[in-house]
């Protein structure tokens, strides 16, 4: 029995209800629950004891696959030649170029003439995707589209019109952040500048006073130690008429 409104996966990003419980992912772990869902506090204690838990972000391609016509549970994440050969062997690893940092996702879609497959590869820069586009177009029977750093390809689709509509749904939206300059109060800035000037003047004045006292003390000590002639004394001519 599962309580109504219960969350199948507290703090999890990927979760699904089953006929007798729930399945959810947390980090690099997958949990399968049968029956009622424990409260969130119990999940926290379980998470704290997981060995080698990794909280890496989800793949960037999770939101790139079109949702219209998607066959449930057909998505497959591709990160290297082994998974690519298993899920889409018609695309060679040299064409996908995983050594460039590419990652891909493959899914199947419904069409009037049967299911068709779609593969989307994400590259670090749009220039890399543009270069790979020409290689994907060399695959026999491939229909290819590039959108920013994404390259979408469907091979031998059973319905060309459905394939065109599916490729048209693959889009890339760049998120830009603009750092705005914080406005500064000119009056406060001027007052702060004047205060700093007075502080500097006070420090310089104090240093001059200390230097004068030290020099005067040195002259007094030197005179008391028996120095008869002061080389720095003032020379007078005695022109007072006497």
């Amino acid at each position: 029995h599962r309580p109504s409104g219960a969350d199948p996966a507290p703090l999890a990003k990927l979760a699904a209800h089953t006929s007798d419980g729930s399945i959810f992912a947390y980090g690099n772990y997958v949990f399968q629950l049968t029956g009622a869902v424990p409260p969130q506090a119990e999940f926290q204690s379980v998470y704290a004891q997981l060995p080698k838990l990794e909280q890496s972000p989800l793949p960037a391609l999770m939101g790139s696959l079109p949702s219209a016509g998607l066959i449930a549970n057909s998505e497959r994440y591709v990160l290297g030649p082994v998974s690519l050969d298993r899920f889409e062997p018609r695309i060679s690893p040299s064409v996908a170029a995983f050594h460039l940092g590419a990652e891909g996702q493959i899914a199947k879609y419904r069409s009037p003439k049967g299911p068709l497959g779609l593969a989307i590869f994400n590259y670090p820069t749009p220039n890399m995707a543009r270069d790979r586009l020409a290689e994907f177009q060399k695959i026999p029977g491939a229909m290819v589209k590039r959108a920013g750093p994404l390259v979408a390809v469907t091979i031998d689709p059973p319905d060309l019109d459905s394939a065109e509509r599916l490729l048209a749904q693959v889009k890339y939206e760049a998120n830009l952040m603009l750092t705005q300059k914080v406005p500064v109060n000119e009056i406060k800035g001027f007052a702060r500048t004047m205060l700093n000037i007075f502080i500097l003047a006070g420090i310089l004045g104090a240093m001059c006073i200390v230097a004068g006292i030290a020099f005067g003390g040195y002259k007094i000590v030197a005179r008391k130690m028996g120095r008869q002639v002061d080389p720095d004394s003032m020379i007078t001519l005695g022109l007072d008429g006497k």
Side-chain angles (χ1 to χ4, degrees):
H1 173 67
R2 182 168 59 252
S4 60
D7 185 358
L11 303 181
K13 297 179 180 179
L14 295 176
H17 287 285
T18 62
S19 59
D20 60 348
S22 303
I23 298 177
F24 68 92
Y26 184 83
N28 55 330
Y29 283 83
V30 176
F31 294 84
Q32 182 176 0
L33 304 179
T34 301
V37 178
Q40 182 173 339
E42 296 185 15
F43 278 98
Q44 290 282 13
S45 60
V46 173
Y47 295 154
Q49 301 177 16
L50 294 176
K52 298 182 179 180
L53 176 64
E54 295 182 3
Q55 291 284 43
S56 56
L58 292 175
L61 286 173
M62 291 297 296
S64 299
L65 286 173
S67 58
L70 177 64
I71 298 177
N73 301 322
S74 66
E75 305 97 321
R76 297 294 184 269
Y77 183 62
V78 178
L79 193 58
V82 176
S83 54
L84 179 63
D85 182 67
R86 180 175 179 181
F87 301 122
E88 186 49 89
R90 294 173 293 182
I91 301 176
S92 64
S94 61
V95 173
F98 292 103
H99 66 279
L100 297 178
E103 60 181 17
Q105 194 162 8
I106 299 173
K108 294 186 179 298
Y109 290 82
R110 292 183 293 271
S111 73
K113 298 182 180 180
L116 60 87
L118 176 69
I120 299 179
F121 293 88
N122 184 16
Y123 294 90
T125 66
N127 287 336
M128 291 183 181
R130 187 180 297 108
D131 294 339
R132 303 317 305 168
L133 177 66
E135 299 299 323
F136 279 101
Q137 290 174 338
K138 296 178 182 179
I139 301 176
M143 299 176 61
V144 190
K145 174 189 176 180
R146 184 186 71 87
L150 305 179
V151 176
V153 56
T154 177
I155 303 175
D156 294 329
D159 187 349
L160 296 180
D161 293 335
S162 298
E164 287 286 357
R165 286 190 289 268
L166 180 61
L167 290 174
Q169 298 179 51
V170 179
K171 299 179 181 179
Y172 175 76
E173 296 181 359
N175 296 323
L176 301 178
M177 298 181 62
L178 177 62
T179 303
Q180 297 182 350
K181 184 179 180 180
V182 179
V184 179
N185 191 321
E186 295 182 359
I187 297 178
K188 290 184 177 180
F190 178 76
R192 187 177 295 107
T193 301
M194 295 302 298
L195 178 61
N196 292 335
I197 292 175
F198 283 116
I199 293 175
L200 179 60
I203 294 175
L204 293 177
M207 293 177 62
C208 292
I209 293 175
V210 172
I213 294 175
F215 181 75
Y218 166 75
K219 301 292 289 184
I220 294 174
V221 172
R223 188 175 294 111
K224 289 185 176 181
M225 292 180 63
R227 295 186 58 179
Q228 299 297 327
V229 180
D230 188 355
D232 297 329
S233 60
M234 181 181 297
I235 299 175
T236 59
L237 299 178
L239 302 177
D240 54 356
K242 297 181 180 180

